Structure formats: C-alpha cells, structure tokens
Amino acid sequence: MNDCRIPDANCHLFIYAEDDHMKILFVITGLAYGGAETQLVGLALRLKARGWTVRIVSLVPPKAFAKELESAGIPVVSLEIRRKLPDPRPILRLIQLIRTWEPEVVHSHMVHANILARAVRPLARVSVLICTAHNTDEGGRFRELIYRLTDPLCDITTQVSQAGMERYVKIGAVPQCKIRYMPNGVD
C-alpha cells in the first residue's frame, strides 16, 4: 500500500511563494543546455532575486550555466561523478553538504538526481524534499521500480507533463496523491 501523506499546502509546492528568506538546494543530474536545466536555472535566479539563498549541486561536471549562476551569487557544486562504476564518495559529499548547509528545501531534478536525493534523505536531515521528473519515461522498468521503492523518501513528486504524471501513476511509480503536474514556465 502506498503512503499518501504529503505536506499541507503551506509546506510543499507553495513554499516557493510564501517565504522570501529560505535556503534551497537544487540537485540536478547535470547542467547543460537542455530543457530541465534551463527551467532550474530560471527558477534559481528568480528565487535568488526574491531573497532566497540558493545553491545548486550537479551530479556530473557542469557544461553550461555555471558562470552565469555564480556571477548571480548562486554557488554551483559538482559531485564529479564521471563513471558508471559505483563510488560512494559523491553520495558522502552530498550528505556532508546537506548536513553542513542545512537547507529548508531540497529540490531535485531528473531521474538520477531524484534517486540520489531520496537515497541520502535518511542520512541527512531534509525538511522538504521535492523531486521533479522531466520525462514521461525515465529509462525502463528498473528505474520505475526504484522510483516506486524510494517514493516514501520524498514529500512530493512533480512532473512537467500531464501525460508523464498520468503514466507515473498508472505504472505505480508514484501514488496519485503524491504527484502534481507543474508545467515548465516560459518567460
């Protein structure tokens, strides 16, 4: 049975609009010139402009946006994941960063970052964990199973497409009550 407890409206997605002086840590698989990355950068810059303290962690070395973000006062940290062989050091670095910096919100984007953010939550205190999926299919049944098994570790999953949200619910990756459709924003 899926646990459908989520934070109330004052504590999940609407947290962005209610407090202008919070610390948010974005975790993303990588920074390149893709759609998910562009959305995250726009959100980070706007939250910083509203007075939030913002940091970004990229699992792999950034290929784009790092200079723009850092010139806006948003530190970008890379976990330097470079190979597919298991290596616990990036996980330990993320745990240490969360423990030291103590963000009120961790918001992860893309499948690898979502899974990693969920995996570290029991080891690093995270008040609110939001995971955003940017695809209708995250790469096969194994990843869907990992999403399903780690779902209790996040507070809410957002999906940038209605079709993606419906698919995640249909395959059991996320229960209906813990996923929200949040379309990408466009200036």
Side-chain angles (χ1 to χ4, degrees), residues 27 91 94-95 98 106 108 110-124 126 129-133 138 143-158 168 172-175 178-179:
V27 182
I91 296 169
L94 182 58
I95 291 167
I98 292 170
V106 174
S108 60
M110 300 166 47
V111 65
H112 295 95
N114 289 341
I115 291 168
L116 182 60
R118 292 172 177 193
V120 304
R121 190 170 193 188
L123 304 171
V126 173
L129 175 58
I130 302 168
C131 296
T132 297
E138 295 283 23
R143 288 185 184 165
E144 292 165 356
L145 176 63
I146 292 173
Y147 257 49
R148 181 180 309 131
L149 294 174
T150 61
D151 179 75
L153 297 170
C154 79
D155 295 297
I156 193 157
T157 298
T158 61
Y168 277 38
V174 181
K178 281 188 66 183
I179 191 167

Side-chain angles (χ1 to χ4, degrees), residues 24-31 37 39-45 53-59 62 64-66 68-70 73-79 94 97 101 107 109:
I24 185 166
L25 178 66
F26 288 106
V27 182
I28 190 161
T29 300
L31 281 174
E37 298 92 331
Q39 292 299 311
L40 175 120
V41 168
L43 180 57
L45 291 170
T53 304
V54 180
R55 287 190 179 180
I56 296 175
V57 171
S58 175
L59 303 189
F65 297 115
E68 175 186 351
L69 290 162
E70 290 184 356
I74 300 172
V76 176
V77 175
S78 175
L79 296 181
L94 182 58
L97 190 142
W101 196 56
H107 186 169
H109 291 261

